[in-house]
């Protein structure tokens, strides 16, 4: 596609996986880990008695005896188990003004944090403090607030169930439901949208269902990079001859073809397995249109079949017995024209009908989706339409069929299950009251966007972060950075240094914690924690490596210390629970009955599956029915601004969210840089631009919300086989183009993947 030579921009012809993946693992390990003993830790990943891979939330293999190879899992592990250390000596040498100018990659690449550190204004550095001193300051800072709702308790999804449960218990005993969490930027459209449709905000499929489906749809996720172990499952599905239909604006190699490093035959011959049977390059933000088009076809095919004397293509019994809203959906579909659908999706009627005929002809269908669906202005509506499509043919709550949201962080789903929510229900509040003897607050708290707004407006003054990199992950970094600089106190529980830590509050504290891979020794012996994957499987995780430093504490221990320092009259037996995490799990079981016999069940190899009512066609909605839900009409937002393109922000193959492992994006042919924007050659030509030109990306007025257009400047245009009218750049570089106000109306998920922009030649020379 590109004749012109542009530095760092090429083409990748190979499959996903294969020798390239093995080489990348060897590289990651040699850069980070010094000792062979440590690399052997890798084999304990996702094994009974081993630790849960911090890489993603894809479930463990069914046959847990085999080591499952995963390039990006290996990167995540080696990044945590690195032999590099960010010690007090390191902090003494570098002022914060200096560190601020470092690249995000360089900050984390200093290695593991080793000591509790507090900011010292006189020297403009972080200096070592004792745990006692740090806790005393936190207690004073939190107790000084006139209202507990002036504190925000952020959670990133790597925290274990045990840590998250203690954290919410602490914040609620302190007196607030302010729980901004990374899920608010991720699958919140699922957490809000699916309960409305099917009564539960989680997926309904298990790994076994992939053995029984006879069609699989993949919409808006990139497993080759973000859930690499899923490629093994997709390979099995493809080898059974099951059609895999993809809707994605970019040609993602991990959805096209794969050489499994687990298969000696494939590795030796280089013969890849074709994954997607058909790949449709839908326009960014065009998914509701596609889904409506597919459903229109289902209705048409149903009518035609009945005319021909057949039983029709809808599951009449299911619709009658289990659902409401079908007629409204039919009216909405009839009112939607193919002209609109084609214009909004960028796909032809014929293409959408072809995809829909695969759907209609399959008895058991799974739809998988990721951030390409949720991080939109209409994210919740996207989710509703996936559910609608499945419900039409009863593809919910039976073997081989269902909905499969691919969760992000390895325990983001579990954190929500054990109480990280700004909107607690009565069961949760009663559970806490009955078990722990205090009355938790019931008033709704802040999600991530609300938390940043409250901090910006001076309504919140203390921010505690259980992991993550909130400032960089959030939309609108300018607003978020400025807001966080106004805090009275910022406390970060972290493994590695990142930019959020450098945004200084009046009092800033960094607390170093153990990672997943490390031994966690408490008074009661070595402890294990638990996590819940995308398919609601809960299992234990026990680290095996020597901790990165003697001063590190586990997350549960740190939370308990904070609670004791803040709440002199606490009703909770913090120390006993830290001494023996079984007692934390007993607490979880007492508050959430779905964890019945938690300690016993989690000790079985592979763990157990949490009850999901929708899997049994029990719908936990107010009227006990599944719901067909319609949203706004496709044109109700008004015409698209002239000359605008829709920008989506995506992950490279060499990053974990805001953690940048390296500057390459192998499968997209990018080496050594991230300052690129992928654009269709015809969209370049229409603007008089060429492959390799330096360009500026500016938001169009509607996105700027009345303020000046936002811009990122000096990016390099890469002619790419992306859907026309759509452009893509990397996250977090693109975040400054997303205003805090630009989010899904229902779920608050920032619309990181639908930003109307203009592309113009760069105003400044290189
Ligand atoms: N190695 C690695 N693993 C990870 C992560 C990581 O950063 N690195 N992050 C973790 C986390 S927290 C998460 S949430 C997941 C994220 O996993 P994904 O959901 O795969 O995340 P993205 O890279 O944001 O990719 C979204 C995909 O959607 C496509 N897309 C973009 N816009 C649209 C659209 O409008 N419609 C459709 N149909 N497709 C679209 C993009 O082309 C891309 O292929 O991965 C988790 N696993
Ligand atoms: N433009 C754009 N923005 C996005 C997205 C997008 O697709 N596009 N995706 C969004 C999504 S899906 C998500 S989930 C968020 C991610 O938001 P976050 O979860 O806040 O960010 P991460 O980058 O995953 O956090 C990395 C930091 O976590 C800390 N850490 C790592 N391991 C541990 C641990 O075991 N314990 C503790 N305490 N700390 C640890 C390290 O200090 C590291 O620097 O970003 C969101 N932002
Ligand atoms: Mo995520």
């Amino acid at each position: 596609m590109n004749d012109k030579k542009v530095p760092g921009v090429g083409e990748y012809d190979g499959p996903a996986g294969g020798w390239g993946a093995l080489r990348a693992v060897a590289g990651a390990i040699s850069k980070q880990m010094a000792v062979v003993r440590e690399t052997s830790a890798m084999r304990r990943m996702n094994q009974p008695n081993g630790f849960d891979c911090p890489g993603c939330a894809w479930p463990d293999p069914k046959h847990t005896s085999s080591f499952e190879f995963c390039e990006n899992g290996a990167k995540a592990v080696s990044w945590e188990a690195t032999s590099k250390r960010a010690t007090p000596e390191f902090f003494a040498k570098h002022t914060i003004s200096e560190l601020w100018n470092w690249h995000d990659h360089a900050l984390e690449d200093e290695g593991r944090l080793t000591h509790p550190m507090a900011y010292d204004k006189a020297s403009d550095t972080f200096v070592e403090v004792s745990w006692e001193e740090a806790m005393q300051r936190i207690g004073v800072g939190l107790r000084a607030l006139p209202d507990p709702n002036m504190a925000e308790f952020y959670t990133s999804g790597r925290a274990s169930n045990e840590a998250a449960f203690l954290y919410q218990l602490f914040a609620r005993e302190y007196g607030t439901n302010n729980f901004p969490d990374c899920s608010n930027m991720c699958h919140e459209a699922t957490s809000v949208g699916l309960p409305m449709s099917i009564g539960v905000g989680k997926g309904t499929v298990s790994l076994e269902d992939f053995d029984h489906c006879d069609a699989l749809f993949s919409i808006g996720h990139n497993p080759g990079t973000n859930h690499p172990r899923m490629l093994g499952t997709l390979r099995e599905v493809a080898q059974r001859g099951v059609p895999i239909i993809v809707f994605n604006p970019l040609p993602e190699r991990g959805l096209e073809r794969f050489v499994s490093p687990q298969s000696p035959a494939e590795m030796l011959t280089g013969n890849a397995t074709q994954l997607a049977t058909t790949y449709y390059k839908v326009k960014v933000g065009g998914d509701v249109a596609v889904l409506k088009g597919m459903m229109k076809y289902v209705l048409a095919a149903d009518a035609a079949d009945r005319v021909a004397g057949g039983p029709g293509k809808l599951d009449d019994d299911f619709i009658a017995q289990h659902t409401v809203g079908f007629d409204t959906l039919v009216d909405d579909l009839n009112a939607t024209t193919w002209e609109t659908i084609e214009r909004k999706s960028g796909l032809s009627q014929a293409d959408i009908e072809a995809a829909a005929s695969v759907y209609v002809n399959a008895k058991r269908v799974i739809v998988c989706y990721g951030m390409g669906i949720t991080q939109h202005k209409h994210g919740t509506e996207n989710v509703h339409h996936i559910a609608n499509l499945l419900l039409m043919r009863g593809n919910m709550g039976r073997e081989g069929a269902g909905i499969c949201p691919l969760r992000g962080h390895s325990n983001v789903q579990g954190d929500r299950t054990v109480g990280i929510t700004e909107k607690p229900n009565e069961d949760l509040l009663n559970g806490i009251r009955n078990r722990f003897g205090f009355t938790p607050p019931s008033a709704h708290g802040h999600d991530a966007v609300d938390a940043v707004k409250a901090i910006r407006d001076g309504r919140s003054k203390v921010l505690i972060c259980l992991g993550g990199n909130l400032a960089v992950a959030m939309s609108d970094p300018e607003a978020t950075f400025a807001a966080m600089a106004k805090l009275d106190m910022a406390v970060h529980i972290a493994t590695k240094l990142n930019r959020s830590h450098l945004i200084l509050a009046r009092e800033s504290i960094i607390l170093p914690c153990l990672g997943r891979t490390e031994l966690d020794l408490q008074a009661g012996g070595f402890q294990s924690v638990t996590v819940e994957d995308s398919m609601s499987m809960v299992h234990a995780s026990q680290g095996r490596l020597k901790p990165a430093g003697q001063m590190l504490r586990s997350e549960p221990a740190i939370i308990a210390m904070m609670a004791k320092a803040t709440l002199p009259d606490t009703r909770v037996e913090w120390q006993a629970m830290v001494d023996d995490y079984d007692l934390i799990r007993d607490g979880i079981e007492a508050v959430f009955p779905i964890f019945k016999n938690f300690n016993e069940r989690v000790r079985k190899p592979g763990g157990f599956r949490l009850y999901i009512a929708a899997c049994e066609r029990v719908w936990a909605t107010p009227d006990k029915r599944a719901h067909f839900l319609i949203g706004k009409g496709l044109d109700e937002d008004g015409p698209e601004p002239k000359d605008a393109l829709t920008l989506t922000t995506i992950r490279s193959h060499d990053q974990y969210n805001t953690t940048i492992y390296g500057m390459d994006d192998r499968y997209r042919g990018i080496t050594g840089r991230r300052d690129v924007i992928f654009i269709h050659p015809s969209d370049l030509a229409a603007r008089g631009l060429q492959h390799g030109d330096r360009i500026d990306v500016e938001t169009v007025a509607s996105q700027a919300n009345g303020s000046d257009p936002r811009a990122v400047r000096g990016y390099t245009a890469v002619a790419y086989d992306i859907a026309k009218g759509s452009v893509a750049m990397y996250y977090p570089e693109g975040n400054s183009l997303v205003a805090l106000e630009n989010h899904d109306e229902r779920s608050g998920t920032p619309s990181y993947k639908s930003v109307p922009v203009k592309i113009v030649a760069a105003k400044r020379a290189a």
Side-chain angles (χ1 to χ4, degrees):
M1 161 167 291
N2 313 319
D3 297 332
K4 188 168 143 194
K5 283 260 162 287
V6 179
V9 179
E11 270 171 53
Y12 178 77
D13 298 328
W19 294 104
L22 282 187
R23 268 195 297 275
V25 168
I29 291 173
S30 68
K31 269 194 225 135
Q32 296 297 331
M33 293 156 100
V35 206
V36 178
R37 182 180 54 80
E38 295 187 344
T39 55
S40 73
M42 217 78 92
R43 258 179 279 130
R44 293 218 172 254
M45 192 153 78
N46 295 339
Q47 293 297 304
N49 306 322
F51 62 91
D52 180 69
C53 176
C56 76
W58 185 255
D60 288 354
K62 286 163 279 182
H63 319 291
T64 32
S65 56
S66 64
F67 166 68
E68 225 187 9
F69 172 87
C70 171
E71 173 188 347
N72 280 349
K75 283 187 203 158
V77 169
S78 59
W79 195 250
E80 176 177 303
T82 179
S83 38
K84 302 180 187 179
R85 299 287 178 268
T87 59
E89 293 72 45
F90 160 78
F91 282 102
K93 274 195 232 134
H94 304 282
T95 63
I96 301 311
S97 324
E98 180 205 334
L99 289 175
W100 185 257
N101 293 317
W102 287 26
H103 191 272
D104 292 296
H105 166 79
L107 291 176
E108 282 208 33
D109 200 28
E110 275 308 314
R112 292 288 298 278
L113 297 161
T114 58
H115 290 74
M117 306 295 293
Y119 181 66
D120 168 52
K121 204 167 178 194
S123 62
D124 186 30
T125 60
F126 272 96
V127 296
E128 184 184 344
V129 285
S130 66
W131 279 103
E132 293 69 29
E133 163 89 20
M135 291 303 148
Q136 197 258 337
R137 292 194 198 181
I138 293 168
V140 168
L142 279 171
R143 282 197 308 271
L145 292 180
D147 176 353
N149 292 314
M150 293 176 75
E152 305 287 345
F153 290 82
Y154 177 70
T155 314
S156 171
R158 205 174 273 195
S160 63
N161 288 333
E162 289 71 11
F165 181 74
L166 289 192
Y167 193 58
Q168 60 83 39
L169 199 58
F170 164 41
R172 293 198 160 107
E173 192 175 17
Y174 171 68
T176 185
N177 285 311
N178 284 346
F179 289 110
D181 99 275
C182 77
S183 183
N184 300 147
M185 300 178 254
C186 183
H187 262 292
E188 194 65 14
T190 299
S191 304
V192 169
L194 275 188
M196 298 164 74
S197 296
I198 60 167
V200 60
K202 299 182 183 184
T204 65
V205 298
S206 67
L207 208 46
E208 285 68 34
D209 287 316
F210 287 80
D211 296 339
H212 302 287
C213 66
D214 45 31
L216 189 147
F217 288 77
S218 148
I219 316 184
H221 66 108
N222 182 19
T225 290
N226 298 319
H227 310 90
R229 289 181 298 117
M230 184 187 189
L231 296 190
T233 304
L234 290 177
R235 176 172 169 269
E236 286 172 17
V237 170
Q239 289 183 343
R240 284 199 295 118
V242 170
I244 298 177
I245 310 290
V246 175
F247 291 101
N248 194 311
L250 278 89
E252 304 288 24
R253 185 47 43 92
L255 287 163
E256 293 175 334
R257 48 188 207 272
F258 173 52
V259 163
S260 169
Q262 239 96 267
S263 158
E266 287 189 358
M267 288 298 273
L268 288 174
T269 60
N271 287 338
T273 301
Q274 292 303 115
L275 297 179
T277 2
T278 325
Y279 204 115
Y280 297 103
K281 297 216 184 71
V282 59
K283 261 194 200 174
V284 165
D287 301 281
V288 170
V290 168
L291 291 159
K292 283 193 170 186
M294 286 180 66
M295 290 190 279
K296 268 176 96 74
Y297 179 86
V298 177
L299 293 182
D302 177 72
D305 191 61
R306 285 176 209 257
V307 168
K313 298 293 185 185
L314 295 164
D315 188 336
D316 294 337
D317 292 344
F318 177 81
I319 292 173
Q321 282 169 30
H322 290 279
T323 71
V324 290
F326 185 66
D327 293 341
T328 318
L329 175 73
V330 172
D331 291 345
D332 184 60
L333 294 174
N334 287 336
T336 311
T337 66
W338 276 107
E339 182 278 322
T340 319
I341 291 172
E342 290 189 325
R343 178 163 42 80
K344 289 282 175 183
S345 67
L347 300 174
S348 68
Q349 178 175 352
D351 277 349
I352 296 175
E353 291 191 334
S357 77
V358 173
Y359 176 73
V360 166
N361 290 319
K363 288 207 178 72
R364 291 181 282 259
V365 179
I366 293 176
V367 179
C368 303
Y369 69 93
M371 297 299 101
I373 283 294
T374 58
Q375 293 175 332
H376 284 282
K377 208 168 147 198
H378 302 304
T380 302
E381 216 167 291
N382 273 338
V383 172
H384 286 161
H385 283 305
I386 292 177
N388 289 342
L389 176 69
L390 288 166
L391 290 171
M392 282 178 122
R393 286 181 43 79
N395 274 308
M396 205 64 99
R398 58 184 170 82
E399 188 177 58
I403 193 159
C404 178
L406 288 142
R407 293 281 168 165
H409 269 293
S410 49
N411 196 40
V412 60
Q413 186 162 316
D415 291 347
R416 300 303 293 265
T417 307
V418 300
I420 301 296
T421 168
E422 75 282 4
K423 298 189 188 91
N425 60 25
E426 278 305 311
D427 290 347
L428 169 55
L429 298 173
N430 289 335
I432 292 177
R433 194 181 301 119
N434 294 340
R435 168 65 184 79
F436 293 99
F438 68 88
T439 300
S442 55
H444 289 180
H446 297 147
D447 65 5
V449 167
D450 287 341
V452 173
K453 285 184 184 164
I455 295 171
R456 177 192 66 190
D457 303 342
R459 286 178 281 122
S460 285
K461 296 306 269 176
V462 171
L463 170 67
I464 315 268
C465 291
L466 179 55
N469 188 1
L470 174 62
V472 180
M474 196 58 201
S475 49
D476 214 336
E478 284 77 6
T480 307
F481 288 14
M484 281 170 61
K486 295 201 296 191
L487 285 164
D488 284 349
M489 186 166 79
V491 179
H492 297 277
I493 302 168
T495 49
K496 288 198 164 184
L497 181 64
N498 66 45
R499 192 164 302 281
S500 294
H501 309 160
L502 303 180
I503 302 176
L504 300 168
R506 277 231 312 269
E507 172 124 43
S508 284
I509 296 173
I510 307 175
L511 304 173
C513 66
L514 295 173
R516 271 286 162 82
T517 55
E518 288 162 320
L519 285 163
D520 181 355
L521 180 61
Q522 303 294 343
F526 287 108
Q527 304 297 316
S528 61
V529 294
T530 63
V531 293
E532 175 186 341
D533 64 32
S534 270
M535 298 186 191
S536 304
M537 291 294 302
V538 178
H539 57 94
S541 169
Q542 187 165 35
R544 296 285 160 162
L545 295 180
K546 201 172 128 224
Q550 284 182 344
M551 294 297 284
L552 304 193
R553 298 288 179 271
S554 77
E555 288 172 336
I558 294 171
I559 295 159
M561 284 192 281
M562 292 200 297
K564 286 188 283 180
T566 309
L567 308 167
D569 302 322
T570 179
R571 308 290 288 266
V572 177
E573 324 82 28
W574 297 102
Q575 196 52 49
M577 290 200 282
V578 171
D579 290 347
D580 178 359
Y581 294 0
D582 275 2
L583 299 182
I584 308 181
R585 287 183 281 272
D586 287 344
I588 294 176
E589 176 176 340
V591 177
F592 304 99
I594 49 168
F595 284 93
K596 193 159 182 284
N597 299 331
F598 193 0
N599 277 304
E600 183 196 319
R601 285 197 290 165
V602 85
R603 280 180 163 78
K604 302 212 172 92
F608 64 96
R609 188 159 189 226
L610 287 175
Y611 174 68
I612 303 285
C615 296
E616 296 178 5
R617 296 195 162 179
V618 173
W619 318 102
T621 53
D623 58 4
K624 309 287 177 233
R625 295 256 173 162
H627 285 241
F628 288 100
L629 295 165
I630 63 163
K632 274 188 176 172
L634 290 177
D635 274 328
E636 266 181 57
D637 286 334
E640 275 148 37
K642 204 168 155 283
D643 296 335
L645 298 161
T646 311
L647 170 77
T648 189
T649 56
I650 52 173
R651 292 158 168 80
S652 82
H653 194 60
D654 227 1
Q655 74 181 81
Y656 193 91
N657 297 339
T658 68
T659 296
I660 311 297
Y661 300 131
M663 306 299 276
D664 298 346
D665 191 8
R666 190 168 78 247
Y667 297 150
R668 299 193 186 107
I670 303 296
T671 320
R673 60 190 304 181
R674 293 173 54 89
D675 57 345
V676 293
I677 178 154
F678 300 98
I679 176 166
H680 193 273
S682 67
D683 287 325
L684 272 179
R687 287 159 183 78
L689 295 167
Q690 285 184 0
H691 175 62
D693 279 358
R694 282 166 53 79
I695 51 106
D696 292 345
V697 186
E698 295 174 354
T699 58
V700 297
S702 65
Q703 176 75 4
N705 267 10
S707 56
D708 291 337
R710 294 151 181 274
V712 294
R713 305 199 181 277
Y715 274 60
T716 293
V718 173
Y720 204 71
D721 190 16
I722 184 174
K724 279 186 205 155
S726 304
V727 288
M729 62 190 289
Y730 296 122
Y731 139 60
E733 284 83 344
N735 290 29
S736 55
L737 298 170
V738 188
L740 213 47
E741 287 72 22
N742 294 127
H743 55 73
D744 178 19
E745 281 161 27
R746 289 215 181 91
S747 71
T749 316
S751 40
Y752 299 120
K753 286 186 168 57
S754 40
V755 192
V757 294
K758 269 189 191 159
I759 304 286
V760 293
K763 295 211 172 78
R764 267 179 262 138

